[in-house]
Amino acid sequence: MKFNRILLSVTLVVVALVVQVSVLARLQLPGAVPDLVLLTVVGLALVYGPVSGSLIGFGAGLLADLAPPADHAAGRYALVLCVIGYLAGLARPDNGRLKSATGPMAVVVAAAIGSTLLYAGVGALVGDTAARHVGLGSLLFTAAVYDLLLAPFTVPLIMALARRAENDPLAESGGGADVASGWLSSGTGLRIGSQRSGLRVKAARSRASRAGRIKGVKRL
């Protein structure tokens, strides 16, 4: 991995972990806790691909395993996020552009559900039955809802920062705006920048048409 990629990934993961432990974990929401670390791994994997996504996921999960008040065996969440990072990286767009929110939203939901199932499954193998007492169905539903609500405010920004750190031409030519607009367009397949340029062309044509009518020139 490149140095700037490592530096950005470590910084984003540490910030996400601090916010999750100090803020999100103390909200006392019913069911699961919004997983900002998971969303960070997903956002980076969607830019860097499966191999880097798995490495980032392993490192992020290991930090989460060691950070207080962790009460489970070290390496458990590292394994989960390693798998999630690899699978999320497989969904990276071929051309680097996001034309709609459908794909990333599906990845976020799948990651939330998959990480919860994997975490509970690994826990069952080591004798941790906490998920049974809380209710696995409730955990799956709340994890998907919380992460899906938090994703539009985090994943596009993380992807834009990752592209800029890579010196990606898409980041210099408005790639970050394409990422955000893909989420805000809600699956319409239209980018906000394209909509704005189309409106400007229509306005210019309208002004030219009015000027032609004033001069008595018939325009087609």
Side-chain angles (χ1 to χ4, degrees):
M1 292 178 66
K2 299 179 181 179
F3 176 75
N4 54 352
R5 181 179 295 188
I6 296 174
L7 181 61
L8 177 66
S9 300
V10 171
T11 302
L12 291 177
V13 167
V14 170
V15 171
L17 183 60
V18 170
V19 173
Q20 181 168 324
V21 172
S22 60
V23 179
L24 299 179
R26 298 184 180 183
L27 294 179
Q28 297 183 349
L29 297 173
V33 176
D35 200 338
L36 187 57
V37 176
L38 173 68
L39 294 178
T40 302
V41 172
V42 169
L44 293 173
L46 286 174
V47 176
Y48 295 150
V51 176
S52 296
S54 62
L55 294 176
I56 294 171
F58 180 81
L62 189 59
L63 286 178
D65 287 332
L66 300 176
D71 56 353
H72 55 269
R76 180 175 170 184
Y77 202 47
L79 174 62
V80 171
L81 286 188
C82 179
V83 175
I84 295 298
Y86 181 83
L87 295 178
L90 294 177
R92 179 181 61 176
D94 294 332
N95 59 358
R97 292 184 180 273
L98 293 177
K99 296 183 179 180
S100 72
T102 304
M105 288 173 66
V107 173
V108 168
V109 173
I113 295 176
S115 63
T116 304
L117 288 175
L118 284 174
Y119 188 82
V122 175
L125 293 177
V126 298
D128 184 358
T129 58
R132 297 180 182 177
H133 301 293
V134 177
L136 184 58
S138 175
L139 286 177
L140 291 174
F141 177 76
T142 52
V145 171
Y146 295 155
D147 290 349
L148 191 59
L149 291 176
L150 188 61
F153 304 99
T154 55
V155 176
L157 177 61
I158 291 170
M159 294 180 67
L161 291 175
R163 284 178 174 175
R164 188 170 295 276
E166 289 285 288
N167 295 321
D168 194 327
L170 290 177
E172 301 298 331
S173 61
D178 288 335
V179 174
S181 63
W183 288 79
L184 297 176
S185 61
S186 300
T188 60
L190 297 177
R191 293 191 295 273
I192 291 177
S194 299
Q195 295 172 355
R196 290 177 177 174
S197 61
L199 291 175
R200 286 196 295 266
V201 171
K202 290 181 180 179
R205 290 177 177 175
S206 178
R207 289 195 297 268
S209 178
R210 288 198 299 269
R213 288 196 297 269
I214 292 174
K215 295 180 180 179
V217 179
K218 182 178 179 180
R219 294 179 178 270
L220 296 179

